Amino acid sequence: MVSTFVKPMHREGVKFVAIFAAIAAGLFFVTPVAGWLGVGITVWCYYFFRDPERVPPERDGLVVSPADGIVSLIEPAVPPTELGMAATSLTRVSVFMNVFNCHVNRAPTAGQITSIAYRPGKFLNASLDKASADNERNSLRIRTEAGDDLAVVQIAGLVARRIVCWTSEGDLLSTGERFGLIRFGSRLDVYLPPGVTPKVRIGQTMVAGETVMADLGETAGSGQPR
């Protein structure tokens, strides 16, 4: 029962929980109502930084969701220019995270990081289409063992003010491996390789590291191997 409700917390959240807890303790000297409100905010902060274990699918070539949240957009788009990918439209799947979702980001597929590029920008509502172009972002280009290139982009949102990425160029990632985190509401975009069609729909709830987003071994719309 305890493991059902109490999840591990990522180290990035320790200082924030400590700050909120100290403020909550101080508020009890003002009024018990304010103190208990502070306790509630502290519990929410812990919940925000939770880091549960996830079990990715075993089959090679699958693309899983890099984030918990809701599929907000599926559309053709050109990947971020700073990654050095071809300036042609690819299928982009966007997963929007609200402030109650787990915000630890996971690798959508196994492969080597060939490029990482950070770009400062605005803090528009991450659910908007133009957030991909205008907001602060951190982009990763991943090359699979089969030679497919795809991109995953961390995008700051209206509340998010800090993108964290603890991987480096040249690192090898396994499917579902943790690679970063965005604090307090944001979005992840995945640019699929040419000819790969998504297996999800707008409005679908995604579980990072587990929900299958696409199959790199299938051609678009055919369900047959490429």
Side-chain angles (χ1 to χ4, degrees), residues 9-65:
M9 183 177 65
H10 195 274
R11 62 183 182 275
E12 284 283 332
V14 173
K15 60 182 178 183
F16 291 96
V17 172
I19 290 171
F20 282 122
I23 293 173
L27 289 174
F28 274 107
F29 290 99
V30 178
T31 169
V33 174
W36 284 113
L37 179 61
V39 169
I41 295 174
T42 302
V43 172
W44 167 79
C45 186
Y46 153 77
Y47 186 70
F48 178 89
F49 284 103
R50 66 194 184 281
D51 186 16
E53 292 298 325
R54 297 287 166 80
V55 182
E58 291 186 356
R59 185 158 66 85
D60 293 337
L62 295 179
V63 178
V64 299
S65 178

Side-chain angles (χ1 to χ4, degrees), residues 104-121:
V104 175
N105 305 146
R106 296 170 181 266
T109 193
Q112 184 177 36
I113 299 176
T114 58
S115 180
I116 299 178
Y118 169 79
R119 199 205 69 173

Side-chain angles (χ1 to χ4, degrees), residues 77-79 85-91 191 194:
V78 176
M85 300 175 70
T88 55
S89 291
L90 301 175
T91 299
Y191 292 82

